[in-house]
Amino acid sequence: MSDIYWRKIQHLEIVVNREVDFKDRCEEYFRDIILIHQAIPGFRREDVDTSTRFLGYELKAPVMITGITGGARETLDVNRRLAQIASQHGIALGLGSQRPILTGNFKREVVETYRVARDTAPNIPLIGNIGFNTLKTLGVQEVKQLVDSVRADALAVHLNPAQEAIQPEGDTDFSLETFSVLREVAREVGVPILVKEVGNGLSYEVVRKITAETGVKIFDVAGACGTSWVKVEMHRTADDVRKHVAQVIGEWGIPTPVSIIETRLASPVSTIIASGGVWDGLRAVKSLAIGADMAGFAKPVLTRLLKEGFESASRFVAEYVESMKTVMFLVGAEKLGDLRRIPVVVGPVLRNYVSSRGFSLDEYLEMLRK
């Protein structure tokens, strides 16, 4: 079996069973986003409407299970069950990197570990996935074949330089020449392109460049508040030097709330998915209130699925969405659009960070209300 096959199995085992999260999951940054309680919300709790439209589908909630896995036989059932959960709750689903399909020359048994998601859930947005640094070796037709092989509605192109720098098999060629390929893919592949980080956050500079040079308008910030893939790869490498580097940069990245703001400033009309430690409904609503359009998570549902079973994982999603609805009720937001108009107090930690980057937080919040 290929090295990449075993890598997918190792990733699952490490994410679920090892300590690979950012230490406090950015508690101080999320705590700095204060939503104002409204003792008279002005409507009934059951009137709260979390529905939204994404990639041509009507979702019951602005939530996405972000790209996790695929490519190994053992992951087929994982993707089937994740698809069942996403379908049951009317949310979006992302697939893990499809590179194993390429290395497996589109073998049916490899493709099926991803395709099972669409076969199981034809009624939800499904997002394919390939690495930015893999694009340089592909033509548009191969990318189209990747998308078609899993019947995806969009393709996520992931940026993961920190992970690749520690990964034993890492490819650290993130040269700007690949932008021309990304631009061509965005123009020709036939489905929307979503650019995402994998846990270290998107900066203003990167999003601005992507928007200007490729026209991409969907971003998943995947900030440095949830799972650290640097720490994941630290558990895989036998190289003592890489282990040391991983220990040094294990907490590296842009906190998710900051990355939301930077991404919105760089691409005001984009669709922004807030992931990276957005592991409960309160954090989800806070993220939407400061500029995101959707919330995403991976590890919480995966861990429950593998350790406690389908019902536990499905219940997590149900509780997540119900928590969102309750928080929206308490801040007087009957619909998702109302979250851009509710009062928000931002504390000194987040405010100082944004200010030190040369942006005015007050002007930003005013921009959201327009």
Side-chain angles (χ1 to χ4, degrees):
M1 295 180 183
S2 68
D3 290 342
I4 199 167
Y5 177 98
W6 290 114
R7 190 190 317 169
K8 296 302 176 185
I9 301 302
Q10 287 176 332
H11 281 165
L12 283 180
E13 189 276 331
I14 292 169
V15 167
V16 171
N17 296 307
R18 305 291 186 93
E19 292 294 331
V20 292
D21 300 343
F22 284 83
K23 288 177 183 175
D24 66 355
R25 298 176 189 153
C26 298
E27 179 59 33
E28 62 179 346
Y29 286 95
F30 281 103
R31 189 170 55 238
D32 247 22
I33 305 167
I34 303 169
L35 306 179
I36 307 304
H37 174 66
Q38 303 297 335
I40 303 179
F43 50 87
R44 301 175 301 170
R45 162 63 175 75
E46 53 267 36
D47 292 334
V48 174
D49 181 7
T50 56
S51 65
T52 190
R53 196 160 182 81
F54 180 57
L55 297 175
Y57 293 80
E58 193 73 24
L59 300 183
K60 294 180 182 178
V63 174
M64 177 177 170
I65 300 175
T66 57
I68 298 177
T69 193
R73 183 177 59 254
E74 290 82 351
T75 66
L76 186 147
D77 194 52
V78 173
N79 275 340
R80 176 189 290 116
R81 289 174 178 270
L82 290 174
Q84 289 173 337
I85 291 169
S87 178
Q88 177 182 355
H89 296 285
I91 62 175
L93 175 64
L95 299 171
S97 172
Q98 292 175 254
R99 189 178 172 192
I101 293 180
L102 295 171
T103 58
N105 296 314
F106 289 85
K107 288 182 181 177
R108 179 178 173 277
E109 58 266 32
V110 179
V111 172
E112 180 60 22
T113 66
Y114 300 89
R115 176 65 176 262
V116 65
R118 171 55 78 211
D119 292 342
T120 302
N123 61 326
I124 62 167
L126 184 68
I127 296 88
N129 191 337
I130 196 65
F132 175 81
N133 52 1
T134 302
L135 282 181
K136 63 182 179 290
T137 66
L138 304 177
V140 171
Q141 289 306 314
E142 282 183 288
V143 177
K144 283 185 175 180
Q145 190 177 359
L146 273 179
V147 171
D148 292 344
S149 69
V150 298
R151 293 169 54 201
D153 300 295
L155 178 68
V157 175
H158 67 260
L159 309 174
N160 63 334
Q163 179 188 8
E164 297 285 357
I166 304 302
Q167 187 177 99
E169 315 85 351
D171 175 1
T172 57
D173 183 0
F174 284 79
S175 55
L176 295 181
E177 287 80 1
T178 308
F179 263 101
S180 62
V181 183
L182 179 60
R183 180 168 54 247
E184 185 179 7
V185 166
R187 185 174 60 244
E188 302 291 342
V189 78
V191 297
I193 298 299
L194 182 159
V195 170
K196 72 187 299 295
E197 239 285 350
V198 303
N200 300 102
L202 293 174
S203 67
Y204 174 87
E205 292 82 3
V206 165
V207 174
R208 187 177 185 184
K209 184 174 184 61
I210 291 171
T211 301
E213 297 195 18
T214 71
V216 169
K217 289 291 191 296
I218 310 176
F219 296 94
D220 179 350
V221 303
C225 297
T227 301
S228 168
W229 283 90
V230 168
K231 293 183 179 181
V232 172
E233 298 298 347
M234 181 180 68
H235 287 289
R236 295 187 61 245
T237 185
D239 186 315
D240 288 340
V241 173
R242 288 192 187 218
K243 283 185 181 292
H244 171 77
V245 175
Q247 289 170 349
V248 171
I249 66 167
E251 300 283 315
W252 177 266
I254 304 169
T256 301
V258 177
S259 193
I260 293 168
I261 294 170
E262 296 211 6
T263 301
R264 178 62 67 199
L265 283 165
S267 187
V269 297
S270 63
T271 297
I272 297 174
I273 301 161
S275 71
V278 188
W279 291 356
D280 62 52
L282 175 57
R283 286 190 172 200
V285 174
K286 286 185 175 186
S287 297
L288 269 59
I290 64 165
D293 298 287
M294 296 177 62
F297 50 76
K299 180 177 178 176
V301 70
L302 176 66
T303 300
R304 286 165 176 79
L305 179 62
L306 295 182
K307 286 193 167 185
E308 301 172 12
F310 179 87
E311 291 303 325
S312 177
S314 180
R315 185 168 61 251
F316 169 81
V317 176
E319 292 169 349
Y320 190 101
V321 174
E322 287 304 305
S323 296
M324 288 184 68
K325 290 181 177 180
T326 298
V327 174
M328 288 176 62
F329 174 62
L330 295 176
V331 299
E334 187 174 356
K335 297 179 175 60
L336 293 175
D338 298 336
L339 289 173
R340 296 289 175 84
R341 293 182 288 274
I342 65 171
V344 178
V345 174
V346 179
V349 175
L350 182 53
R351 181 175 290 275
N352 289 342
Y353 195 131
V354 173
S355 176
S356 70
R357 290 283 281 144
F359 307 122
S360 167
L361 188 60
D362 292 330
E363 290 180 6
Y364 172 77
L365 293 174
E366 186 59 34
M367 177 190 80
L368 291 182
R369 296 187 180 100
K370 291 181 180 178

